Amino acid sequence: MASYMLISNANELITMAGHSDVPAKQEKMSEIGVIKNGSAWLEDGKIIAVGKDEEIRKQFHDKLAEAEIIDATGKIVTPGLVDPHTHLVHAGTRENEYAMRLQGKTYMEIMNAGGGIHATTRATQAATHEELYEQAKKRLDQFARHGVTTVEAKSGYGLTLEDEIKQLEVAKKLDEDHVLDIVSTFMGAHAVPLDLKEDPDQFVDRVINEMLPVVAERKLAIFNDVFCERGVFTPEQSRKILEAGKKYGLIPKIHADEIEPYEGAELAAEVGAISADHLLKASDKGIEKMAEAGVIGVLLPGTAFFLMAEYARARKMIDAGVAVALSTDANPGSSPTISSPFIMNLGCLNMGMTPEEVITATTINAAHAIGKAKEIGSLEAGKKADVTIWNVPNYLTLSYQYGMNHVDTVVKAGRKIIVGGVLQ
Ligand code: NIG
Ligand code: FE
């Protein structure tokens, strides 16, 4: 028997309709498709129709008695949020480094002294599949509580073939077991292991010749990412790794211009990356090239906030024609948060984005950044029924009242997974 659900009479139902074919750019990022007194009719985990409450009730009149009804009166409804950049699977935390940074040490100083990504790598290498699974599962539950229904997850704390595979297998298992969906990225080139510090090219070779073929063969990732940063991987090494991944069908992504300007945005355009992420220090030319090449800018303002750094120039990027998405960058070093709504606040307050743009950036553009815009990111007929109901009267309030969780109900593929803010 079919299962029916009516999400009824939201103060504002934000559809994000009309952006599934191409990412929203410039003024299109403001077109969020608000329906006042809006309702959504769901069947068997899919969205069948959205519209005015009275119209939807009329249209599905004969099935109404069989439907589960969620009353969204006084609330707003959005597509389930999409987080297109996380380091979901890892072991442990690094609050000690936070304390060091508060005393004046920099992120890169800590990493170069063997901490940072290396510290989490040691912990992740020492952890079993089960331990990593349990920790990542808790983070996924937290994402759900914050209104997120799909997350991208990167490897990159293994740095050996075996440990990279371990991380990716955990992500795969969680994608199967957990109600949220996970899209995997291989990021073997996240740091040069300490024992190869003097010979980084040897590690680049390992990534290309030992890791990439196995990851691709076992279909453990869709994307291939690299930390292109002075002292980590050079643009030349990054290009090699991303081009090699392309030969195996892995789509390039890049951690670009995070700490220093390093022509990462330019490289993203050159290799045809689906997205360039971070971009705090992206050059004017890099931004122009991204716009021309259609590279999505995945901005991670939690990182600027937490590293006390300058924010990416979102306003400039949007005005230049770059499609912008937002993400938490959830990781234990530079952005220990899973709160996508807080990222929306930061987008408005510190990057010059509008409340409409931050919604676009965490829904449909985020879905584009992980190649999923045909399935998720908007409330349109035929899409997966991933829906978040927020306990606020209008969408402006979402990016206005900050630092608290407004999530009321989350529906994932037609199933209620959060009710009254509580995980079911
Ligand atoms: O996106 N920049 C590189 N990677 C992560 C941080 C990883 C970590 O510090 O553990 C980032 O910021
Ligand atoms: Fe990252």
Side-chain angles (χ1 to χ4, degrees):
M1 216 187 81
S3 86
Y4 304 129
M5 185 182 277
L6 173 69
I7 299 176
S8 172
N9 194 40
N11 235 6
E12 295 174 350
L13 183 132
I14 316 290
T15 67
M16 292 310 315
H19 306 294
S20 295
D21 293 336
V22 275
K25 295 176 192 151
Q26 294 179 320
E27 59 284 351
K28 290 232 179 314
M29 281 192 72
S30 306
E31 296 173 10
I32 63 172
V34 181
I35 303 177
K36 297 252 182 213
N37 300 109
S39 292
W41 182 263
L42 320 178
E43 282 185 25
D44 293 333
K46 287 261 159 52
I47 297 166
I48 302 299
V50 295
K52 287 271 185 204
D53 188 55
E54 35 187 312
E55 286 159 19
I56 295 289
R57 281 176 182 268
K58 215 181 278 165
Q59 190 179 345
F60 297 97
H61 178 75
D62 52 336
K63 297 174 178 167
L64 211 51
E66 292 163 62
E68 175 170 13
I69 298 180
I70 300 179
D71 182 10
T73 303
K75 299 174 182 156
I76 72 160
V77 170
T78 68
L81 302 185
V82 177
D83 192 329
H85 179 141
T86 86
H87 301 260
L88 178 78
V89 181
H90 63 264
T93 52
R94 307 216 299 265
E95 60 275 30
N96 57 325
E97 294 181 4
Y98 169 59
M100 285 159 77
R101 286 197 302 101
L102 294 177
Q103 298 296 325
K105 280 252 180 304
T106 70
Y107 178 79
M108 288 310 274
E109 278 166 2
I110 294 169
M111 177 168 169
N112 290 333
I117 294 173
H118 301 297
T120 302
T121 298
R122 283 189 291 275
T124 303
Q125 288 177 342
T128 63
H129 176 101
E130 288 68 31
E131 287 162 348
L132 289 173
Y133 180 96
E134 281 312 313
Q135 293 189 32
K137 180 179 174 296
K138 287 197 183 115
R139 293 179 199 118
L140 272 184
D141 290 347
Q142 285 283 51
F143 271 115
R145 288 190 188 95
H146 287 78
V148 176
T149 47
T150 301
V151 302
E152 182 259 17
K154 299 177 196 299
S155 67
Y157 293 120
L159 307 188
T160 66
L161 173 63
E162 190 185 84
D163 292 303
E164 285 293 307
I165 297 287
K166 180 172 68 179
Q167 270 191 282
L168 292 168
E169 280 179 337
V170 169
K172 185 172 178 208
K173 184 86 174 79
L174 277 167
D175 181 42
E176 289 160 10
D177 297 354
H178 197 280
V179 63
L180 292 205
D181 288 317
I182 299 178
V183 176
S184 278
T185 297
F186 168 63
M187 197 177 180
H190 194 196
V192 179
L194 292 172
D195 57 341
L196 287 177
K197 222 173 159 185
E198 302 311 319
D199 192 4
D201 282 328
Q202 197 188 324
F203 184 66
V204 171
D205 269 4
R206 266 189 214 171
V207 170
I208 293 176
N209 297 314
E210 288 177 21
M211 300 188 200
L212 275 174
V214 181
V215 170
E217 149 91 30
R218 296 186 50 188
K219 296 192 173 19
L220 285 169
I222 310 269
F223 302 105
N224 180 28
D225 199 341
V226 37
F227 188 11
C228 179
E229 190 72 44
R230 193 178 301 285
V232 193
F233 295 96
T234 64
E236 201 36 60
Q237 292 166 330
S238 304
R239 179 185 296 110
K240 261 173 109 173
I241 292 166
L242 296 176
E243 290 294 349
K246 273 163 52 174
K247 297 209 177 88
Y248 291 105
L250 294 171
I251 302 164
K253 277 183 175 278
I254 175 166
H255 279 59
D257 305 315
E258 177 180 357
I259 317 277
E260 286 185 35
Y262 207 35
E263 302 201 354
E266 287 86 335
L267 178 61
E270 191 193 309
V271 301
I274 189 166
S275 73
D277 303 31
H278 283 292
L279 303 170
L280 277 62
K281 301 285 161 60
S283 70
D284 290 355
K285 192 157 154 245
I287 292 173
E288 252 170 58
K289 289 201 163 172
M290 280 178 60
E292 270 165 35
V295 179
I296 297 172
V298 175
L299 307 184
L300 314 157
T303 310
F305 172 76
F306 195 69
L307 296 185
M308 298 172 280
E310 248 173 72
Y311 286 77
R313 295 182 292 162
R315 186 73 266 141
K316 179 169 176 81
M317 291 180 204
I318 294 172
D319 294 343
V322 174
V324 164
L326 287 172
S327 157
T328 59
D329 192 20
N331 76 73
S334 67
S335 190
T337 184
I338 44 69
S339 178
S340 298
F342 180 57
I343 297 302
M344 289 181 176
N345 300 134
L346 291 178
C348 289
L349 291 166
N350 292 320
M351 296 202 301
M353 295 175 74
T354 66
E356 293 81 11
E357 287 167 347
V358 298
I359 292 176
T360 302
T362 46
T363 55
I364 195 70
N365 276 8
H368 276 290
I370 55 170
K372 289 271 172 200
K374 295 268 184 253
E375 295 156 51
I376 55 172
S378 65
L379 303 179
E380 291 176 278
K383 287 229 173 158
K384 204 178 252 197
D386 290 0
V387 189
T388 301
I389 305 174
W390 307 84
N391 212 349
V392 291
N394 51 53
Y395 71 82
L396 259 185
T397 303
L398 254 197
S399 58
Y400 154 67
Q401 292 181 344
Y402 71 95
M404 40 189 171
N405 191 351
H406 294 294
V407 170
D408 180 82
T409 302
V410 178
V411 173
K412 174 66 189 169
R415 198 178 119 201
K416 285 192 290 184
I417 59 165
I418 304 285
V419 176
V422 178
L423 190 68
Q424 300 303 291

